[in-house]
Amino acid sequence: ERGVGAGDVVALLSYNCPEFLETVFAANHAGAIAMPINWRLAAPEVRYILEHSEARALVCDEALLELAAEATQGLEAAVLRLSISDTASDGWERLADVRGAGGDAAAVAPWAAAGADDVHRLMYTSGTTGRPKGVMLNHANLAWKNLAHLVEFGFHAGDLGLACGPLYHVGALDLTTTTLIAAGATVVLHRAFDAAAVVDELERSRVTTVWLAPAMVNAIMALPDVEQRDLSSVRVIINGGEKMPIPLIERIQRTFPSAWFADAYGLTETVSGDTFLDRDSIITKLGSVGRPCLHLELDLWDEDGRSVPAGEKGEVVLRGPKVFRGYWRNPEATEAAFAGGWFH
């Protein structure tokens, strides 16, 4: 009713909450594109993403309205601004009011027909040089990722995941949440990461899987009583980002006696989780990020685009149905990233 439809971009600036996921799926329901934004960015960076993506709407957490107001100054007429809040704010409509405006939402807005190549989500990655690039993830990319990870870990409807990292990142959003939703499982959302609260949740709710960045693992393992807690329900911990020393891995195994500590490698451009270290190799192949997941090819190339022999350094290249198709409004970067037909 507010004019957001097929192909429009719906930006999302929010801490973890049910409305975050509601917005993603509501956008897709209407044929639109969801775009989570890193709330750690400064206002000029948020503004660049809104302008470059040509966002039609912005859904914002009440706690981030000041950042969003600064980022959208002068854009108010072009961007529908909706707040996740209990009270009205100047220049913002409440998401709850818009949600309830049409009564039966399904009757007002029937499902849009989405093709495999239609963009499901935009995620801007901060490159080491230049402006961030908008990664176009399509519906097929998400579906193939879900399939690969369901096969890898055997997730099922009885699983309970904890999303304690930020949902604007593929770690919490895709290594936990979207895969478990695809399995018909349940996800507990923590608004932001707190190590003590995570351990309490794991023990109290009998959580079975969680994604943790290395810094999050270190914070949890630094808690004074963590090895005395009953964390036996956790069967999969997905991790990645840096090599961990053997003594820490051994402590993690004692603390989480049932868990597969799956070290991983992945990118935003591949909807996360490209390789995983299998359960039996946690110690024997320490430092390895494992093998490629289902339906993903991985190789290492030299500067001339040739495979390097074992033991030699090379650039990781990937191809498969969960690899994205290109960067939003950036054909030059897309062409460079896919030199030789594989994603670099």
Side-chain angles (χ1 to χ4, degrees):
E1 291 180 340
R2 297 298 194 281
V4 176
D8 289 330
V9 174
V10 177
L12 182 55
L13 188 67
S14 175
Y15 297 113
N16 295 359
C17 59
E19 291 87 350
F20 188 111
L21 298 175
E22 180 180 301
T23 298
V24 171
F25 295 129
N28 287 170
H29 185 112
I33 300 164
M35 185 177 70
I37 298 176
N38 183 343
W39 39 257
R40 290 187 170 95
L41 297 176
E45 296 171 303
V46 174
R47 185 183 183 89
Y48 170 79
I49 291 171
L50 292 172
E51 290 185 320
H52 186 265
S53 67
E54 298 177 329
R56 177 68 186 81
L58 171 62
V59 175
C60 183
D61 194 301
E62 185 173 27
L64 297 166
L65 285 176
E66 187 176 337
L67 170 63
E70 185 179 349
T72 57
Q73 191 169 6
L75 301 178
E76 295 92 343
V79 179
L80 173 66
R81 304 197 305 173
L82 304 170
S83 66
I84 304 170
S85 58
D86 294 329
T87 56
S89 301
D90 187 37
W92 295 81
E93 289 187 74
R94 292 196 321 132
L95 180 65
D97 294 336
V98 174
R99 181 204 295 126
D104 182 359
V108 174
W111 285 102
D117 290 331
D118 289 341
V119 181
H120 139 68
R121 191 195 319 162
L122 263 184
M123 300 188 83
Y124 274 74
T125 64
S126 298
T128 51
T129 58
R131 293 284 200 175
K133 299 187 290 291
V135 174
M136 295 187 290
L137 300 176
N138 62 35
H139 288 273
N141 295 149
L142 179 64
W144 284 101
K145 183 277 299 181
N146 286 341
L147 173 64
H149 293 185
L150 290 172
V151 170
E152 187 79 32
F153 297 110
F155 293 137
H156 53 79
D159 273 306
L160 176 64
L162 172 61
C164 54
L167 288 172
Y168 66 67
H169 184 275
V170 289
L173 183 55
D174 290 301
L175 285 170
T176 302
T177 307
T178 56
T179 303
L180 290 178
I181 289 173
T186 303
V187 180
V188 175
L189 301 176
H190 277 198
R191 184 165 170 81
F193 175 74
D194 176 272
V198 165
V199 172
D200 288 344
E201 190 75 69
L202 297 177
E203 187 175 43
R204 176 178 63 250
S205 299
R206 309 302 291 162
V207 169
T208 61
T209 183
V210 62
W211 168 79
L212 298 169
M216 298 160 74
V217 173
N218 290 330
I220 288 170
M221 296 309 296
L223 294 172
D225 66 337
V226 69
E227 291 189 52
Q228 283 70 56
R229 306 293 288 272
D230 179 8
L231 304 178
S232 58
S233 66
V234 181
R235 66 180 185 87
V236 178
I237 300 172
I238 304 176
N239 174 70
E242 65 185 44
K243 188 184 293 188
M244 292 194 169
I246 289 179
L248 179 57
I249 296 286
E250 291 173 336
R251 273 195 67 212
I252 292 168
Q253 289 183 301
R254 288 197 304 270
T255 306
F256 297 90
S258 307
W260 168 7
F261 190 73
D263 213 352
Y265 168 82
L267 303 106
T268 302
E269 287 91 340
T270 59
V271 211
S272 81
D274 300 315
T275 70
F276 297 101
L277 184 62
D278 62 278
R279 182 190 289 270
D280 295 335
S281 303
I282 294 171
I283 297 295
T284 58
K285 292 193 178 294
L286 184 72
S288 169
V289 290
R291 293 176 290 205
C293 64
L294 186 70
H295 298 304
L296 182 77
E297 293 179 272
L298 184 149
D299 202 1
L300 295 175
W301 286 5
D302 62 21
E303 292 179 353
D304 297 318
R306 293 188 297 256
S307 295
V308 299
E312 297 292 319
K313 290 183 179 179
E315 181 181 15
V316 175
V317 293
L318 303 147
R319 69 178 178 184
K322 81 182 193 76
V323 179
F324 83 133
R325 298 294 184 266
Y327 295 106
W328 180 265
R329 297 176 59 200
N330 198 335
E332 297 84 5
T334 301
E335 185 178 0
F338 283 93
W342 294 52
F343 171 56
H344 292 247

